[in-house]
Amino acid sequence: MARTGLSIAAGLTLVAVLTGCGGDESGFANRLAPAVAADGTKTLRYGNQTEPGTLDPHQASGVPAANVLRDLYEGLVITGADDKIIPGVAESWTISDDRLTYTFKLRSDARWSNGKPVTAQDFVYSLRRAVAPTTASSYADIHAPIKNATAIINNDKPPETLGVAAPDAHTLVIRLKEPTPFFLQTLTHPSSDPVYRPAVEQWGDSFTQPGHAVTNGAYTMDAWRVNERIRVKRNPYYWDNANTAIDRVEFYPIEDGNSELSRYQAGGLDWAATVPPAATARIKRHIPDQYHAVPTIGIAYLGLNMRHAPFADNRKLRLALSMALDRDVITDKILRGGQPTLYSAVPDTVRGYTPVEYDWQDWPDDKRKARARRLYHEAGYSAEHPLQAEYLYPSGGVGKTLGLVAVAMWREVLGADITPINQEWKVFLQTAREGYDTQIFWGGWIGDYDDPNTFFSIFNSKAALNYTGYDSPAYDTAQERSSHTPTGAKRTALMHKAEATLLHDAPIIPVWVYTYHQLVKPYVTSYQPSALGNYYSKNFDIRPGQDADGGAGGH
């Protein structure tokens, strides 16, 4: 494979070309065309980045799948304004004094999309399925707080031993192995959603398809054309259907940010999930009221495969790559969306936690780069013997942008020879998960809940989502103890120990705090920013109006 080196200046130029020039103001258009039919039917059209690999709640991975699943299914609890926990299928719950037993009372009017009641037994079946080894869920570990879950995941006990029970049709009891301060928040994740057992047993893997899918959320599956569109329609049996205004939602898998922006401007999308960095200034000038920059409980990082050479047993090399990156250039000159730089494993957007950070983050550039070069040489590399490795990134998003700039910086500062490699999203996830062929890879993690453990847990040596292969007994012990320690100084100290250990060992290179850059048409009402990215279409409405050219808004 041919390898080419880029200077930082050349890397910046190439990124500008790839992300759009952003200089031509004359052609800027912003057609306002809400999709409201003559009979009043309202359709919300959503740019959804890429094609979900699956819409099985217990096997799905990634933000695009979660966006659709929040409309199709509803768990015991969901998130509301300011990402606070509110009732979902469970209208109320109690927690025992020892914090080990959670008792949920389900709504008597909760229904599946075929009209059948949603029962506590549906949740018993679904939670058992979520942790069963045969399901092979990447998110099985999120249920680790439940009694016997870890033993089931490890195939040491059968799923029937999971600490869940249904004393009656509308009462669900969940027993934990140890008190877990963030447990309720984990229940907002799609892997905690119920699935309809008869459909799963009848249709197998295709139970998610139109005509087969039976869902309990505000919407149900209507159409799915791979790489073209997913359309969901209102579930008339949803318990709160009377307060749902949007009749249909269409999710478009548009990986290229410029293509998504063009469709949004032409009136073909009501919501664009991404904004090309080079277009940000134009957008702020022309339609500032439609632009939303939302700092998330999420991080953008580069993962280093710790399973084999060149990064296994070479901490100095890993740290050299981290110190060689000029994060300010990446955020200020490339992304240009106000993303905070990141020198920790947890963003400061997590409430109630102050992250541990690298002690060199405020060093002058010359000092930082000099230390990076010294570490690189001590790691065994030089101009005569440069590091040769591959950087793997998925189609769409900012993985390519970051990679081109990082490759240029590593080349200029260290003399390293890194080759960017692109894979389609589903293939990328599989490659990263298996960990055989990766060396450096793109990593983005939006927290599943507002607690530091959502970041710490994915680097535990036993976690299915630990794509780096990082294995540290000291880290695992601190992380696991903190996850079962009540909120307070003792828990904070354990979390700080875990984070300091992770930063010292450097299996990841934190780069910036993930920020959603969204465009939302002004006729889409009730929009509220979510740091977790939890948006539910049932909460929105469309106000019919006129398009930018003065014509009728509906079509």
Side-chain angles (χ1 to χ4, degrees), residues 2-21:
R3 298 176 182 271
T4 59
L6 289 173
S7 69
I8 293 179
L12 294 178
T13 300
L14 183 54
V15 167
V17 171
L18 290 171
T19 54
C21 65

Side-chain angles (χ1 to χ4, degrees), residues 239-254:
W239 65 269
D240 199 28
N241 182 53
N243 291 315
T244 301
I246 302 293
D247 299 289
R248 291 182 303 210
V249 186
E250 295 177 345
F251 298 88
Y252 293 90
I254 309 172

Side-chain angles (χ1 to χ4, degrees), residues 90 92-96 101-105 167 171-175:
S92 65
W93 55 89
T94 57
I95 306 172
S96 62
T101 303
Y102 288 65
T103 303
F104 298 88
K105 291 297 182 181
T171 304
L172 178 72
V173 178
I174 300 180
R175 294 183 173 85

Side-chain angles (χ1 to χ4, degrees), residues 360-380:
W360 46 263
Q361 69 180 71
D362 294 324
W363 287 6
D365 284 351
D366 290 346
K367 180 180 179 181
R368 175 178 50 79
K369 291 177 182 179
R371 179 63 60 85
R373 283 189 286 268
R374 192 182 85 185
L375 289 168
Y376 181 72
H377 294 148
E378 290 176 356

Side-chain angles (χ1 to χ4, degrees), residues 262-282:
S262 294
R263 184 178 292 195
Y264 179 87
Q265 290 178 264
L269 290 177
D270 308 307
W271 186 308
T274 58
V275 174
T280 302
R282 278 192 305 151

Side-chain angles (χ1 to χ4, degrees), residues 278-406:
T280 302
R282 278 192 305 151
I283 288 168
K284 288 181 177 179
R285 278 193 293 272
H286 289 278
I287 48 173
D289 59 318
Q290 298 176 42
Y291 173 72
H292 304 274
V294 184
T296 72
I297 299 173
I299 63 174
Y301 66 93
L302 297 169
L304 304 174
N305 194 330
M306 304 277 284
R307 300 176 184 87
H308 52 68
F311 300 113
D313 303 320
N314 200 334
R315 173 180 175 269
K316 289 183 177 180
L317 176 61
R318 301 192 298 269
L319 195 55
L321 292 183
S322 184
M323 296 185 75
L325 289 188
D326 190 328
R327 290 160 174 80
D328 289 333
V329 168
I330 293 171
T331 57
D332 296 344
K333 297 187 181 301
I334 303 301
L335 300 177
R336 290 179 282 180
Q339 295 91 338
T341 55
L342 185 67
Y343 295 88
S344 59
V346 178
D348 60 8
T349 48
V350 173
R351 285 176 282 203
Y353 180 76
T354 301
V356 175
E357 297 178 317
Y358 291 115
D359 57 6
W360 46 263
Q361 69 180 71
D362 294 324
W363 287 6
D365 284 351
D366 290 346
K367 180 180 179 181
R368 175 178 50 79
K369 291 177 182 179
R371 179 63 60 85
R373 283 189 286 268
R374 192 182 85 185
L375 289 168
Y376 181 72
H377 294 148
E378 290 176 356
Y381 295 92
S382 63
E384 295 74 26
H385 177 57
L387 169 68
Q388 292 190 334
E390 294 180 346
Y391 165 68
L392 182 70
Y393 67 93
S395 300
V398 293
K400 182 174 185 177
T401 303
L402 171 59
L404 290 173
V405 178

Side-chain angles (χ1 to χ4, degrees), residues 73-298:
Y73 296 92
E74 183 170 278
L76 295 164
V77 295
I78 58 177
T79 55
D82 201 26
D83 294 317
K84 296 294 181 60
I85 299 294
I86 62 173
V89 175
E91 60 184 359
S92 65
W93 55 89
T94 57
I95 306 172
S96 62
D97 291 341
D98 61 7
R99 316 295 291 182
L100 292 176
T101 303
Y102 288 65
T103 303
F104 298 88
K105 291 297 182 181
L106 274 58
R107 301 178 186 276
S108 59
D109 55 350
R111 294 285 185 274
W112 293 99
S113 54
N114 61 3
K116 301 289 186 181
V118 177
T119 68
Q121 191 59 44
D122 291 325
F123 281 93
V124 171
Y125 165 76
S126 299
L127 288 169
R128 287 174 176 172
R129 180 177 184 267
V131 298
T134 53
T135 304
S137 171
S138 297
Y139 287 93
D141 292 326
I142 204 170
H143 306 294
I146 304 177
K147 185 176 180 181
N148 292 331
T150 300
I152 296 167
I153 294 167
N154 295 334
N155 211 18
D156 294 329
K157 288 187 177 182
E160 291 73 25
T161 63
L162 187 67
V164 292
D168 60 61
H170 295 102
T171 304
L172 178 72
V173 178
I174 300 180
R175 294 183 173 85
L176 308 188
K177 62 180 179 181
E178 293 182 81
T180 305
F182 52 85
F183 175 67
L184 268 181
Q185 296 187 64
T186 69
L187 297 180
T188 66
H189 191 268
S191 67
S192 298
D193 290 346
V195 293
Y196 189 62
R197 183 172 186 172
V200 175
E201 294 179 343
Q202 179 178 359
W203 302 109
D205 291 342
S206 68
F207 83 92
T208 62
Q209 298 298 312
H212 299 173
V214 179
T215 63
N216 76 314
Y219 298 87
T220 193
M221 182 61 73
D222 188 30
W224 188 352
R225 296 178 181 175
V226 176
N227 292 322
E228 182 181 333
R229 180 186 65 182
I230 293 172
R231 184 175 67 219
V232 301
K233 61 182 180 181
R234 274 172 69 156
N235 172 11
Y237 294 104
Y238 178 60
W239 65 269
D240 199 28
N241 182 53
N243 291 315
T244 301
I246 302 293
D247 299 289
R248 291 182 303 210
V249 186
E250 295 177 345
F251 298 88
Y252 293 90
I254 309 172
E255 294 183 346
D256 180 71
N258 292 305
S259 297
E260 184 178 36
L261 176 59
S262 294
R263 184 178 292 195
Y264 179 87
Q265 290 178 264
L269 290 177
D270 308 307
W271 186 308
T274 58
V275 174
T280 302
R282 278 192 305 151
I283 288 168
K284 288 181 177 179
R285 278 193 293 272
H286 289 278
I287 48 173
D289 59 318
Q290 298 176 42
Y291 173 72
H292 304 274
V294 184
T296 72
I297 299 173

